[in-house]
Structure formats: structure tokens, C-alpha cells
Amino acid sequence: MKKVKIFLTAVAAVIVLLSACSESFNTREPLGQFGQPSLLTPDGVDGLLLGAYAMIDGSGVDGTPDWNVTVENWAFNLASDDALKGTDAGDQPEQTFIETYDYQPFNGHITNRWRSLFKGVARTNDVIDAANAVEEISDDNRAQIIAEATFLRGVFHMEARKMWRNPPYIDDEVYDVSDIESTKVPNDREIWPLIEADFEAAAAVLPASQSEVGRPTSWAAKAFLAKAKMYQGWNEDGSANTSKLQEAKVILDDILNNGGFSLVPDFADNFLVATRNNSESIFEIQYAVSSSADQASARGMGLAHPYTDPWGCCGFYQVSQNLVNAYKTENGLPLLDNFDDVDVPETVDETTTLSTYTDPLDPRLDHTVGRPGILYKDFKIYQTDFIRDLSYAGPWFSKKHVAEMEGFGVGGWGNLTANNYRYMRLGMIILWLAEAEVELGNLERARELVNLIRARAANPESFVPRATQGTDRNDFTIVDGETAANYEISLYNDPWTDQATARKAVRFETRLEFAMEGHRYWDLVRWGVAAEVLNAYIASESQHRTYLQGKSFTKGKHEYFPIPTQAIDRSVKDGQATLTQDPAY
């Protein structure tokens, strides 16, 4: 066993203070210090584990706004073809640089994301070291604690590997909280195998179900292991790494067939406070808020709310015209090749204020995007007064993460809600499996899987209803039996015989299903098509958003962000930086 260390995690310190009222009340350690007697106890280890969980949503970094390090990744998904920064031109220019592919190693958002992830790594290593040091913990409980911490460590490192081409990997064998030099390790190896090993170790110990929501199960660990393999499923040139995809397929089949998960009938139930932790959920970030406390709320999404009442702040994370256009259908199917040729307009009838667009649309559009003339959740009919600066980022706004009326306004600021982030859900498993099946030549199986997703989307019970405007801006009446738009969606009924077309259909479905959930940019990168797709997007979207004119995505560079200058400077050991910058920068 490693030598006993001194642990300095704040959450454990709080727990120690709360439990200090006992017979040993007068036995006090020196003020300002927390040593072995305070932290190397079963309660202390539990506190350390809670501290590690507290980092998974991205908050908890001193001096850092929650929203630019959030697990939802919206500030970095601005680099995709789904999202625009929104608000106005002068607000948070760091995001404009990300949106326009001007990645700089001193960008505060990039620096803070690094700090957040590696602080999370440090906390998980704290847990593992402490659990191994405390003899009073039973062997079974010790194994569970270490498995949960190892799962979290895998998650933090995976997010880092998505962001950076060559981040370091830091485990408990290296980490020593009493030695500031211990984490100064070189970033000179590929860390995907180490991430996989963490998830494999966690899956081998974690139970199939947990009594407390928010703790990972063996199925969650398997799902993240499959995700790690899917992220290695394509080479940089876009060719398939079929060996990795075959490995992922085995795990994905197991989850789908034996995990006990099922798609919820209503697509919208994946985005409501009232339907958290449902049958589709594999792992969610648990948020909570009350009238007296909001620190456990979805703080990272607070600024990404409409600019009008009842939110009033702040207009970030708008939706691109390109994404809206992707939801057009013909004969119930998406327009895979020419969806962006003609724009879906934002026009409304001057009298009724309802949308005048009558061409067929995928019903998931109006669960994903705020669109003029269409009911926005259960608040009011969306109009362009939701937008802070219409001329800057256009008329569309994001919608999935915004809590419904019943979940709004509980705490001091209504934008801070308990709307969980569905980090891993069954829909992801199904479409990853479809991706793998296409590359492995099983086109008809891929079609069956995609149709599972489309059949759920086609459930008329989940269509957004038509609503008419009342005399007051916030009043509306739902029209029984009528839908908000001409929703037309069908299954792929013809056999898939061409691999390229099947690949395109699966990827398009992935975009429609998970738009604005913080995945799109990294999907394009892992498929090896980011430059092709994003440069075409810029050419189109810049016709609407003039600030995108003249911008471009550089293949081989912009797939990853630069390592922060601050991190490199602080990695100096024996006069030499242990971290090296990505050669592309």
C-alpha cells in the first residue's frame, strides 16, 4: 500500500467540521490544517468521493464561471454547425474565438476547461488513495468506492482527450497531494487505452443497479467504455477502424439486449425535470434546486436561456439556420444531400402570430429549437422577442435544456434549475451500434436500429401542439387535436444496399436526435469529416451571420484545442516544462 498522505479536499473538510460535535469536541487540530486524523476515516473517504462527484458537472473551480466549463460542453459546441454564440457581438468574445476557429492557448474558456477536468482527476485520485489507506472500510465497500472514483476518472480523462489531441493521464500511482511536482507528467503517450482500462475496471466491480440515482452502474461503465471505443472508430482520414468498432459492437449489443433500458415513448421526456432518470437513462448528471439553495443546480446552463421574461438572461447558445434546415423532410425522410438548399423561414402571420411555414418537418425540430409562432415548452408562444440581438445571431434559440414551467423559478434565479443532463442514454447506444454495423457491412441491421429511433420520434402523442396567442403576451390556448406544424416523419422502409448512403443516413439521424446536447462537434471530429462539413457550413451560414465570413476550419489543426499556456507554464519540473504543445499550434 502506498504511504499515507495528507488530503486537502474541501468537501471532506466540511464533513469533518459537521461531525465534530462529539466526545472529542475539545480535541482540536491546529487551525487551517487537515491531517490524517481528520480525513482518513470512513466519513472522510465518503466526503472525498462526494467532492469528486461535485466536479463532474464542471463546477467547483475557484474563480471560474460555471458555464464555460460545464459538462454540457455548450461553449465548445459553438464550433459545430448546430450552434451560434448568440446574445450580442460584444458579449463573451472568448466564445466568438471558439465559434470562428480562432483557438488560442490563452483563451480563458479553454484554460478553465483544462483546470476543471484535471481538478476532477485530482479528486478521484484523492478518493482512491484514501480508500486504500483507511482500514476501517470493509473490503466490499472499499472496492465500490474505488470503482466509482475510477469511473469518474475515466470520464474526466475522456473529456480531456476529446478536447485535446495529447493531454496527460494522471492516476493514483503518480498522484501525491503532498507533492506538488507529482502531477507534472509528460503528455507523450496516447491515453485512450488508459481511459478504457478505467472503465473496464469500474465495470468489473460496479453493480448493475444503484440504490441512489447519480451513482454509476456497471452498465454506465460499459456504455462509456463503448463510447471510448467509438471515438477511436475512425482514423483521421475518415477511414473506419473496424477492429475498434467491432469491440464497441460487442459492448453495445450487450447493453441493448441485456441492460434493461428502453426508449421512452415521448422524445420530450429526455428534456424535462419531471421525467428525469427514466427508462432510457443510463447515466445522468443530477441537479437539484430549492428555494433556499441553488448550488447543486444546472448552473452551467444558466446563461443559455432566452433574453425575454421569465428568464431575462442571457441569450447565449442560439441555433444555426443550418440546423433548422436539417429537420425538413420529404416523404417523411430527411433530405440527406440538399437539406440546406432552401431555408426554413421564421415568418409568422401578422394576425395570429403563428408560423406560416407549412412544408413537412421532423417533429424533433420543435423539441430542439425555439421557432417563431410555436409554443416554447409550456411557457408561451415563441417570437423573436426571445432574442437579444436579432441582427447578430438570428431568430432561433435552443430549447432542450430549458426546464418546463413547473421546474422554473424554484431558487433565487429561475435559470438555475434541476433539469438533469442526460449524459448517457439508450438512444446513443442504438445509434452508435448503427454506426458500427454500417462500417462492418451489416446495413440492414443498421436500418433496423435507426428505425427504432425514428419510430419513437414519429409518436404523434409527443408532437408539439398548436397553440393560439391570448390577449396577454404570456397567455396561450392549446388547440385540441392540432399540431404546431406539418410534422411528417416515416421509417426507412426500403432496404439499405449502399454503404455510403447508409453511413450518411445514420450520421444525419445522430444529428437530428442529439442536436444542441453538446455532442455534434466531437461527432464530426471522430468521423474525420469536420473540415469538409464545417467549411461547407461556414459558406452557407455566413450568408446569414456576417461575422462568419472569411472564417475557415483547418484540417489537421482545429479538430483539437491547444493546450493552455498556463498549464504548460505550470508544468515546469527541474527547469523544463513536462507538457508540450500540440504540434498543430
Side-chain angles (χ1 to χ4, degrees), residues 379-381 468-477:
F379 284 93
K380 56 184 170 183
I381 295 175
T468 57
Q469 181 65 55
T471 55
D472 183 87
R473 177 68 183 89
N474 293 324
D475 290 340
F476 64 88
T477 300

PDB file of all heavy atoms in Angstrom, residues 379-381 468-477:
ATOM      1  N   PHE A 379     -44.309  27.566 -21.695  1.00  0.00           N
ATOM      2  CA  PHE A 379     -44.239  28.954 -21.222  1.00  0.00           C
ATOM      3  C   PHE A 379     -45.136  29.891 -22.020  1.00  0.00           C
ATOM      4  O   PHE A 379     -46.059  30.490 -21.499  1.00  0.00           O
ATOM      5  CB  PHE A 379     -42.794  29.450 -21.266  1.00  0.00           C
ATOM      6  CG  PHE A 379     -41.942  28.914 -20.158  1.00  0.00           C
ATOM      7  CD1 PHE A 379     -41.197  27.762 -20.338  1.00  0.00           C
ATOM      8  CD2 PHE A 379     -41.891  29.546 -18.938  1.00  0.00           C
ATOM      9  CE1 PHE A 379     -40.406  27.256 -19.320  1.00  0.00           C
ATOM     10  CE2 PHE A 379     -41.110  29.058 -17.901  1.00  0.00           C
ATOM     11  CZ  PHE A 379     -40.364  27.907 -18.094  1.00  0.00           C
ATOM     12  N   LYS A 380     -44.830  30.031 -23.289  1.00  0.00           N
ATOM     13  CA  LYS A 380     -45.593  30.914 -24.157  1.00  0.00           C
ATOM     14  C   LYS A 380     -45.170  30.663 -25.594  1.00  0.00           C
ATOM     15  O   LYS A 380     -44.216  29.921 -25.861  1.00  0.00           O
ATOM     16  CB  LYS A 380     -45.379  32.375 -23.784  1.00  0.00           C
ATOM     17  CG  LYS A 380     -43.931  32.846 -23.789  1.00  0.00           C
ATOM     18  CD  LYS A 380     -43.867  34.294 -23.308  1.00  0.00           C
ATOM     19  CE  LYS A 380     -42.436  34.754 -23.065  1.00  0.00           C
ATOM     20  NZ  LYS A 380     -42.400  36.133 -22.534  1.00  0.00           N
ATOM     21  N   ILE A 381     -45.885  31.282 -26.510  1.00  0.00           N
ATOM     22  CA  ILE A 381     -45.555  31.117 -27.920  1.00  0.00           C
ATOM     23  C   ILE A 381     -44.287  31.897 -28.223  1.00  0.00           C
ATOM     24  O   ILE A 381     -44.172  33.089 -27.914  1.00  0.00           O
ATOM     25  CB  ILE A 381     -46.723  31.582 -28.810  1.00  0.00           C
ATOM     26  CG1 ILE A 381     -47.933  30.677 -28.574  1.00  0.00           C
ATOM     27  CG2 ILE A 381     -46.315  31.556 -30.286  1.00  0.00           C
ATOM     28  CD1 ILE A 381     -49.185  31.117 -29.303  1.00  0.00           C
ATOM     29  N   THR A 468     -52.666  28.987 -29.686  1.00  0.00           N
ATOM     30  CA  THR A 468     -53.033  30.313 -30.173  1.00  0.00           C
ATOM     31  C   THR A 468     -52.729  31.357 -29.111  1.00  0.00           C
ATOM     32  O   THR A 468     -52.806  31.090 -27.909  1.00  0.00           O
ATOM     33  CB  THR A 468     -54.518  30.381 -30.558  1.00  0.00           C
ATOM     34  OG1 THR A 468     -55.315  30.013 -29.427  1.00  0.00           O
ATOM     35  CG2 THR A 468     -54.811  29.429 -31.709  1.00  0.00           C
ATOM     36  N   GLN A 469     -52.395  32.535 -29.579  1.00  0.00           N
ATOM     37  CA  GLN A 469     -51.993  33.619 -28.694  1.00  0.00           C
ATOM     38  C   GLN A 469     -53.184  34.222 -27.978  1.00  0.00           C
ATOM     39  O   GLN A 469     -54.234  34.478 -28.577  1.00  0.00           O
ATOM     40  CB  GLN A 469     -51.281  34.708 -29.508  1.00  0.00           C
ATOM     41  CG  GLN A 469     -50.778  35.884 -28.698  1.00  0.00           C
ATOM     42  CD  GLN A 469     -49.688  35.483 -27.722  1.00  0.00           C
ATOM     43  OE1 GLN A 469     -48.689  34.901 -28.100  1.00  0.00           O
ATOM     44  NE2 GLN A 469     -49.898  35.790 -26.442  1.00  0.00           N
ATOM     45  N   GLY A 470     -53.031  34.452 -26.663  1.00  0.00           N
ATOM     46  CA  GLY A 470     -54.053  35.136 -25.899  1.00  0.00           C
ATOM     47  C   GLY A 470     -53.860  36.641 -25.970  1.00  0.00           C
ATOM     48  O   GLY A 470     -52.968  37.153 -26.663  1.00  0.00           O
ATOM     49  N   THR A 471     -54.660  37.365 -25.222  1.00  0.00           N
ATOM     50  CA  THR A 471     -54.574  38.832 -25.239  1.00  0.00           C
ATOM     51  C   THR A 471     -53.296  39.317 -24.582  1.00  0.00           C
ATOM     52  O   THR A 471     -52.744  40.355 -24.950  1.00  0.00           O
ATOM     53  CB  THR A 471     -55.792  39.451 -24.536  1.00  0.00           C
ATOM     54  OG1 THR A 471     -55.884  38.901 -23.215  1.00  0.00           O
ATOM     55  CG2 THR A 471     -57.068  39.131 -25.305  1.00  0.00           C
ATOM     56  N   ASP A 472     -52.831  38.585 -23.599  1.00  0.00           N
ATOM     57  CA  ASP A 472     -51.566  38.912 -22.943  1.00  0.00           C
ATOM     58  C   ASP A 472     -50.446  38.110 -23.600  1.00  0.00           C
ATOM     59  O   ASP A 472     -50.658  36.980 -24.024  1.00  0.00           O
ATOM     60  CB  ASP A 472     -51.650  38.582 -21.446  1.00  0.00           C
ATOM     61  CG  ASP A 472     -50.377  38.964 -20.703  1.00  0.00           C
ATOM     62  OD1 ASP A 472     -50.262  40.119 -20.269  1.00  0.00           O
ATOM     63  OD2 ASP A 472     -49.501  38.084 -20.574  1.00  0.00           O
ATOM     64  N   ARG A 473     -49.254  38.708 -23.681  1.00  0.00           N
ATOM     65  CA  ARG A 473     -48.133  38.044 -24.350  1.00  0.00           C
ATOM     66  C   ARG A 473     -47.859  36.662 -23.779  1.00  0.00           C
ATOM     67  O   ARG A 473     -47.440  35.751 -24.506  1.00  0.00           O
ATOM     68  CB  ARG A 473     -46.862  38.919 -24.235  1.00  0.00           C
ATOM     69  CG  ARG A 473     -45.601  38.300 -24.838  1.00  0.00           C
ATOM     70  CD  ARG A 473     -45.679  38.201 -26.352  1.00  0.00           C
ATOM     71  NE  ARG A 473     -44.503  37.549 -26.920  1.00  0.00           N
ATOM     72  CZ  ARG A 473     -44.380  36.235 -27.099  1.00  0.00           C
ATOM     73  NH1 ARG A 473     -45.354  35.424 -26.746  1.00  0.00           N
ATOM     74  NH2 ARG A 473     -43.287  35.734 -27.634  1.00  0.00           N
ATOM     75  N   ASN A 474     -48.069  36.449 -22.514  1.00  0.00           N
ATOM     76  CA  ASN A 474     -47.757  35.185 -21.872  1.00  0.00           C
ATOM     77  C   ASN A 474     -48.928  34.193 -21.849  1.00  0.00           C
ATOM     78  O   ASN A 474     -48.785  33.090 -21.321  1.00  0.00           O
ATOM     79  CB  ASN A 474     -47.266  35.417 -20.446  1.00  0.00           C
ATOM     80  CG  ASN A 474     -45.928  36.134 -20.411  1.00  0.00           C
ATOM     81  OD1 ASN A 474     -45.077  35.912 -21.249  1.00  0.00           O
ATOM     82  ND2 ASN A 474     -45.757  37.020 -19.438  1.00  0.00           N
ATOM     83  N   ASP A 475     -50.055  34.583 -22.419  1.00  0.00           N
ATOM     84  CA  ASP A 475     -51.220  33.702 -22.437  1.00  0.00           C
ATOM     85  C   ASP A 475     -51.295  32.943 -23.763  1.00  0.00           C
ATOM     86  O   ASP A 475     -50.954  33.474 -24.821  1.00  0.00           O
ATOM     87  CB  ASP A 475     -52.517  34.505 -22.263  1.00  0.00           C
ATOM     88  CG  ASP A 475     -52.659  35.059 -20.861  1.00  0.00           C
ATOM     89  OD1 ASP A 475     -52.001  34.526 -19.952  1.00  0.00           O
ATOM     90  OD2 ASP A 475     -53.421  36.027 -20.690  1.00  0.00           O
ATOM     91  N   PHE A 476     -51.748  31.718 -23.684  1.00  0.00           N
ATOM     92  CA  PHE A 476     -51.973  30.937 -24.900  1.00  0.00           C
ATOM     93  C   PHE A 476     -53.031  29.888 -24.618  1.00  0.00           C
ATOM     94  O   PHE A 476     -53.321  29.560 -23.469  1.00  0.00           O
ATOM     95  CB  PHE A 476     -50.676  30.273 -25.372  1.00  0.00           C
ATOM     96  CG  PHE A 476     -50.115  29.264 -24.412  1.00  0.00           C
ATOM     97  CD1 PHE A 476     -50.515  27.921 -24.445  1.00  0.00           C
ATOM     98  CD2 PHE A 476     -49.186  29.634 -23.450  1.00  0.00           C
ATOM     99  CE1 PHE A 476     -50.009  27.000 -23.546  1.00  0.00           C
ATOM    100  CE2 PHE A 476     -48.668  28.706 -22.546  1.00  0.00           C
ATOM    101  CZ  PHE A 476     -49.084  27.382 -22.597  1.00  0.00           C
ATOM    102  N   THR A 477     -53.586  29.368 -25.698  1.00  0.00           N
ATOM    103  CA  THR A 477     -54.570  28.291 -25.606  1.00  0.00           C
ATOM    104  C   THR A 477     -54.163  27.179 -26.549  1.00  0.00           C
ATOM    105  O   THR A 477     -53.888  27.424 -27.732  1.00  0.00           O
ATOM    106  CB  THR A 477     -55.975  28.794 -25.983  1.00  0.00           C
ATOM    107  OG1 THR A 477     -56.352  29.848 -25.097  1.00  0.00           O
ATOM    108  CG2 THR A 477     -56.991  27.660 -25.902  1.00  0.00           C
TER     109      THR A 477
END
